[in-house]
Amino acid sequence: MAAMAAPPPAEPPVPPGPCRLSLLAVEPLLFLATVSLGLQGPLATQYLWDRLGAEHGYSDRNSTESSGCGDGNATADPLRQEVEALVSHWNLYINLGGFFVSLFSVTLFGAWSDGVGRRPALILPCAGMALQTAIYLLVMYLELHVAFFLLGRILSGLTGDYNLILASCFSYVADTSERRARTFRVAVLEACLGTAGMVASIGGGQWRRAQGYINPFWLAFAASLAATLYAAFFLRESVKQKKAAKLFTLSHYKAVYRLYTAPEHPSSRWKLALYTLAFFLIVTVHFGAKDIYVLYELGFPLCWASDLIGYGSAASYLAYLSSLAGLRLLQLCLEDTWVAEIGLISNVAGLVVISLATTTPLMFTGYGVLFLSMAATPVIRSKLSKLVSETEQGALFASVACVEGLCSLVSTGVFNSLYPATLHFMRGFPFLFGAIILLIPAAILGWIQIWDSKHDYNHFQDASLSPTKD
């Protein structure tokens, strides 16, 4: 009995066990934060459209819903073009303001969390998102100038914004998972992103149509506040050995820099760079395709109504869940890299089908072929995590979150410019372009895997020959 009593005192400094993780996991926090973000983004854009349109005398009577499908009448309206330009500019200011502020705060807080723990790096951005939503609500209630949207986004960016939540959640999983199970745990987190996005996109649009903007934004505020409280009172700390660390110091930025310039193992440097490049290309194509799905579906010859667009959005988000299931099954017989390659094949094939879609069944066939398209990113996140030490996970995922923010900006610029420029010869060309780009990360992942296999074989061969030399 005395021997049985020894383990409990040793338990607190050790990371939580599987049973506790199932009760005190980080997935609910990510789900709540993603629901909040998923509600805010589209609703804020629609509010800007209605508000700026009303200020300039533009009525919804002239919207595309009443102007026909693909006949160009709506875009010929100069007043509509002026409102579109204003909304686009304000969206650009808000997104750029949030990105550049969070670029510095994410790398600061991410590396800081390696010392002080993950919970502070989760509480701060969740509280910042709640503050941003509260400012958005004040703008709507008091009809303040839309520039206050930018103020709310900057304040959220100062606390790390959604990118820090992503970085801290993935760092938390890296802290609390075994290396063999890490890819699947990361995939579970990404499945939370898809599920929350599906709930927010479908529910938010229907709710706005029925009750306006205020009530959906109250739900976004409640979700971000609930995420803050969950991180503060229910989430167990994942860092094994916490230590006091100054927040405002250049050493945190140097920690991120050292990841790519002076890693523990020399081969890790180029692997980190190549995996990061592959991740950048995959996520850029993913974001870029999502940006133009609705435009593609609204235009001729598909001419989808709002109900079909909602089903299409749900189908695109279902790829997160089907990729999770496919990843789990394929891991039973394949190495992670080859699972990622199959995921990229699914992504390429789906985009090619969508680029040629002229009917509704063919468009949904394209969505169906994308069923494994989200299997590559969790594999890359896991591979990156295994290249650095336990005390560098926060710095690593902070840099990955910054790359993801850059992906969003690049994809918006490239795909939204490419779509109108190629309408005259092939409406689906941006999807075909994305499929071609995905061949680059597929080559990168395959080359690294082959190089590792040869390196391991040579090492094994040298080890087997060494006894004979003795």
Side-chain angles (χ1 to χ4, degrees), residues 4-169:
M4 294 289 288
E11 201 169 301
V14 180
C19 294
R20 291 182 178 176
L21 270 176
S22 64
L23 297 173
L24 301 174
V26 77
E27 284 82 359
L29 184 149
L30 184 62
F31 179 85
L32 290 168
T34 307
V35 166
S36 177
L37 182 75
L39 286 170
Q40 288 183 61
L43 289 175
T45 299
Q46 292 175 70
Y47 178 82
L48 285 171
W49 176 271
D50 289 347
R51 176 80 179 272
L52 294 172
E55 289 177 0
H56 288 77
Y58 179 79
S59 170
D60 277 342
R61 289 193 303 266
N62 301 322
S63 68
T64 54
E65 291 181 4
S66 59
S67 61
C69 169
D71 57 7
N73 293 337
T75 55
D77 185 350
L79 187 57
R80 178 187 174 89
Q81 287 182 332
E82 183 182 354
V83 174
E84 281 182 339
L86 280 172
V87 174
S88 177
H89 287 157
W90 274 111
N91 267 333
L92 181 64
Y93 302 150
I94 292 169
N95 290 332
L96 284 178
F99 170 73
F100 284 116
V101 173
S102 66
L103 185 66
F104 296 98
S105 60
V106 168
T107 48
L108 180 70
F109 289 124
W112 179 63
S113 71
D114 285 327
V116 302
R118 308 297 177 206
R119 288 176 63 240
L122 285 167
I123 295 169
L124 279 170
C126 290
M129 282 185 64
L131 176 61
Q132 172 185 311
T133 314
I135 291 174
Y136 282 19
L137 281 168
L138 283 176
V139 171
M140 294 174 188
Y141 273 116
L142 304 178
E143 296 189 357
L144 302 175
H145 195 277
V146 293
F148 282 96
F149 275 15
L150 176 59
L151 173 64
R153 184 64 190 276
I154 289 176
L155 290 175
S156 179
L158 287 172
T159 61
D161 206 19
Y162 181 74
N163 285 337
L164 181 58
I165 296 175
L166 280 180
S168 301
C169 286

Side-chain angles (χ1 to χ4, degrees), residues 87 109 134 141 150 173 182 260 265 277 348 458:
V87 174
F109 289 124
Y141 273 116
L150 176 59
V173 165
R182 189 164 301 169
Y260 295 90
H265 305 290
L277 174 61
V348 168
N458 291 335

Side-chain angles (χ1 to χ4, degrees), residues 90-301:
W90 274 111
N91 267 333
L92 181 64
Y93 302 150
I94 292 169
N95 290 332
L96 284 178
F99 170 73
F100 284 116
V101 173
S102 66
L103 185 66
F104 296 98
S105 60
V106 168
T107 48
L108 180 70
F109 289 124
W112 179 63
S113 71
D114 285 327
V116 302
R118 308 297 177 206
R119 288 176 63 240
L122 285 167
I123 295 169
L124 279 170
C126 290
M129 282 185 64
L131 176 61
Q132 172 185 311
T133 314
I135 291 174
Y136 282 19
L137 281 168
L138 283 176
V139 171
M140 294 174 188
Y141 273 116
L142 304 178
E143 296 189 357
L144 302 175
H145 195 277
V146 293
F148 282 96
F149 275 15
L150 176 59
L151 173 64
R153 184 64 190 276
I154 289 176
L155 290 175
S156 179
L158 287 172
T159 61
D161 206 19
Y162 181 74
N163 285 337
L164 181 58
I165 296 175
L166 280 180
S168 301
C169 286
F170 285 115
S171 300
Y172 190 98
V173 165
D175 293 337
T176 56
S177 61
E178 296 179 358
R179 292 172 67 88
R180 290 171 57 188
R182 189 164 301 169
T183 302
F184 181 70
R185 284 296 311 279
V186 170
V188 170
L189 271 186
E190 295 208 355
C192 287
L193 297 178
T195 306
M198 182 166 56
V199 170
S201 64
I202 297 175
Q206 298 293 336
W207 200 356
R208 184 200 70 83
R209 235 176 259 113
Q211 297 185 348
Y213 297 98
I214 300 296
N215 289 339
F217 263 93
W218 273 113
L219 177 60
F221 175 75
S224 53
L225 187 61
T228 308
L229 296 175
Y230 183 86
F233 298 108
F234 298 102
L235 193 65
R236 184 182 295 274
E237 182 54 68
S238 64
V239 174
K240 297 177 183 178
Q241 296 179 344
K242 293 195 297 180
K243 56 184 179 182
K246 290 183 180 179
L247 176 58
F248 299 106
T249 172
L250 290 176
S251 63
H252 299 314
Y253 296 109
K254 291 178 181 177
V256 177
Y257 176 75
R258 283 196 303 270
L259 284 177
Y260 295 90
T261 57
E264 286 187 356
H265 305 290
S267 63
S268 297
R269 181 186 303 176
W270 60 265
K271 285 185 184 179
L272 281 167
L274 287 176
Y275 278 133
T276 302
L277 174 61
F279 181 84
F280 171 80
L281 294 173
I282 292 170
V283 176
T284 297
V285 171
H286 174 67
F287 284 166
K290 269 196 173 304
D291 278 349
I292 58 175
Y293 277 150
V294 174
L295 285 174
Y296 188 67
E297 292 159 355
L298 281 170
F300 181 84

